């Protein structure tokens, strides 16, 4: 959740990473900085103790060494070992489709005038592991309006860099490249949807999707596409990578849902990285209060 209102705090003033080591100290320190500690409606509805355990941060080392990023290698440790190949600077983002201001923007222009915010979100992978990550990023709904999407912009399609030299995994046919993901426009504009540029107060490393990746905390992790080079406003649902690859296993929506099993395994439980025991998976990954309204009247079993 949003832990502090960042509007008047420069990214450079954000809590130094050492302070994340113990959550109590971190909370105390943000209060000392004069920042508002907003634990949000979800947390308010639980006991403080449960909330603290639920949002206990996954260590930086685990977040940056246990990854899924097929372009940098398959297997959880390969992406971190490939670190350095991606060379995320300079970077540009193409904006295309149903909008009044398409173009190719340098990353600096693309993010111009925006302030990074810190948000602690749960990340639930479809493979049943999970983490709690303190992202640094900009809500997508602060960025998209700049490009003036038109009434035909019903969906947003995101594309990862295609460059087999910098992304050695693309030399294999593990997936159809480039990796593509998509959201309905209302999902893209939801206040929880983040374009992340960092975590633990530092810039993203290659393995986490440098320099810019999506974070949609109520959806399975594969929706959170990394190293984005293109944003395309479309009038029909984008053809997304995992959905194209295995349509009966990975739906377009991919909302975290313990009541809809993956055809090959249950989605009822998850293992938080670092924990021994598994815990219950929460509908919409615990963000139902904020996002369930987006899917009112929809059959979540059909629209998985
Ligand atoms: N984005 C791209 N381009 N390629 C990928 O292989 N893996 C996805 C997602 N984004 C992936 C991607 C999956 S399956 C997950 S669970 C998350 O990234 C993992 O993010 P993390 O490694 O930062 O924890």
């Amino acid at each position: 959740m949003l832990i502090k209102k960042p509007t008047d705090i420069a990214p450079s003033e954000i809590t130094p990473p050492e302070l994340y080591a113990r959550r109590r100290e971190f909370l105390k320190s943000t209060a000392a900085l004069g920042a508002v500690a907003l634990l949000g409606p979800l947390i308010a509805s639980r006991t403080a103790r449960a909330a603290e355990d639920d949002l206990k941060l996954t260590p930086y080392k685990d977040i940056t060494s246990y990854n899924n990023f097929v372009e940098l290698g398959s297997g959880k440790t390969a992406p971190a070992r490939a670190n350095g190949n991606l060379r995320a600077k300079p970077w540009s983002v193409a904006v295309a489709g149903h909008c009044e201001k398409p173009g190719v923007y340098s990353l600096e222009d693309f993010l111009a005038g925006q302030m990074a915010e810190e948000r602690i979100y749960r990340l639930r992978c479809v493979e049943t592991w999970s983490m709690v990550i303190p992202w640094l990023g900009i809500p997508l709904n602060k960025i998209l309006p700049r490009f003036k999407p038109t009434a035909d912009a019903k969906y947003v399609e995101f594309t990862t860099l295609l460059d087999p030299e910098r992304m050695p995994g693309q030399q294999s046919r593990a997936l159809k490249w480039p990796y593509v993901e998509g959201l309905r426009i209302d999902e893209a504009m939801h206040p929880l949807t983040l374009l992340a540029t960092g975590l633990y107060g530092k810039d993203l490393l290659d393995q986490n999707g440098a320099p810019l990746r999506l974070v949609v905390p109520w959806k399975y992790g594969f929706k959170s596409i990394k190293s984005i080079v293109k944003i395309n406003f479309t009038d029909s649902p984008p053809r997304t990578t995992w959905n194209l690859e295995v349509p009966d296993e990975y739906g377009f929506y991919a909302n975290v849902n313990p009541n809809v099993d993956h055809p090959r395994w249950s989605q009822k439980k998850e293992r938080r990285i670092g924990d021994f025991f598994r815990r219950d998976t929460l509908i919409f990954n615990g963000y139902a209060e904020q996002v369930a309204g987006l899917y009112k009247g929809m059959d979540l079993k059909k629209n998985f």
Side-chain angles (χ1 to χ4, degrees), residues 3-284:
I3 53 154
K4 63 185 179 188
K5 270 272 178 250
T7 35
D8 53 354
I9 303 171
S12 57
E13 290 168 5
I14 278 167
T15 317
E18 316 79 71
L19 286 185
Y20 285 93
R22 277 180 303 190
R23 180 162 170 74
R24 267 174 206 287
E25 280 186 23
F26 168 61
L27 285 175
K28 254 193 262 161
S29 68
T30 49
L33 271 173
V36 190
L38 289 174
L39 289 181
L42 168 82
I43 307 304
S45 69
R46 301 176 177 204
T47 65
R49 218 179 148 147
E52 197 158 302
D53 176 54
D54 183 40
L55 287 181
K56 188 167 150 247
L57 299 182
T58 302
Y60 184 75
K61 193 170 179 301
D62 291 336
I63 299 173
T64 56
S65 62
Y66 186 93
N67 299 98
N68 276 339
F69 197 174
V70 190
E71 290 91 326
L72 294 189
S74 47
K76 297 290 176 273
T77 56
R81 281 187 278 114
N83 191 21
N85 286 337
L86 185 50
R87 296 188 302 275
K89 279 177 188 168
W91 194 268
S92 57
V93 181
V95 178
H98 296 289
C99 66
E100 288 173 22
K101 299 201 161 184
V104 177
Y105 298 82
S106 71
L107 184 61
E108 293 71 27
D109 282 353
F110 182 77
L111 299 175
Q114 302 295 341
M115 202 68 107
E117 300 182 16
E118 285 187 314
R119 295 198 180 184
I120 296 175
Y121 284 157
R122 289 175 288 272
L123 173 83
R124 167 61 157 83
C125 179
V126 74
E127 299 164 339
T128 75
W129 54 267
S130 64
M131 297 189 183
V132 177
I133 303 181
W135 298 105
L136 203 58
I138 296 155
L140 190 57
N141 69 7
K142 289 196 177 163
I143 294 182
L144 294 186
R146 256 188 76 196
F147 307 106
K148 300 202 185 299
T150 65
D152 288 332
K154 305 270 196 294
Y155 297 86
V156 188
E157 177 192 72
F158 304 85
T159 307
T160 294
L161 175 73
L162 176 63
D163 184 340
E165 263 183 38
R166 288 155 77 186
M167 296 194 149
Q170 289 176 340
Q171 290 164 22
S172 87
R173 285 166 198 247
L175 289 171
K176 287 182 199 80
W177 311 114
Y179 195 103
V180 172
E181 257 310 330
L183 296 173
R184 251 174 25 197
I185 191 88
D186 58 342
E187 297 176 320
M189 293 295 286
H190 190 279
L192 287 183
T193 305
L194 199 70
L195 264 187
T197 55
L199 58 89
Y200 267 100
K202 303 180 189 185
D203 284 349
L204 287 178
L205 296 180
D206 289 358
Q207 60 266 38
N208 292 106
L212 192 69
R213 58 101 46 95
L214 190 67
V215 179
V216 196
W218 70 94
K219 293 179 179 283
Y220 290 119
F222 69 85
K223 297 295 287 185
S224 291
I225 181 173
K226 297 177 170 182
S227 306
I228 296 168
V229 291
K230 187 174 176 191
I231 289 183
N232 185 21
F233 295 100
T234 66
D235 53 15
S236 54
R239 317 285 317 271
T240 55
T241 294
W242 281 106
N243 182 241
L244 274 177
E245 198 73 28
V246 204
D248 57 332
E249 297 192 1
Y250 307 105
F252 173 77
Y253 282 96
N255 292 318
V256 174
N257 191 340
N259 308 315
V260 179
D261 287 338
H262 185 281
R264 291 183 281 131
W265 59 81
S266 163
Q267 292 291 24
K268 286 194 172 28
K269 299 245 174 211
E270 67 196 61
R271 195 174 71 83
R272 193 62 58 81
I273 296 302
D275 283 2
F276 181 74
F277 292 109
R278 295 191 306 158
R279 63 176 68 208
D280 289 343
T281 284
L282 305 172
I283 183 115
F284 295 114

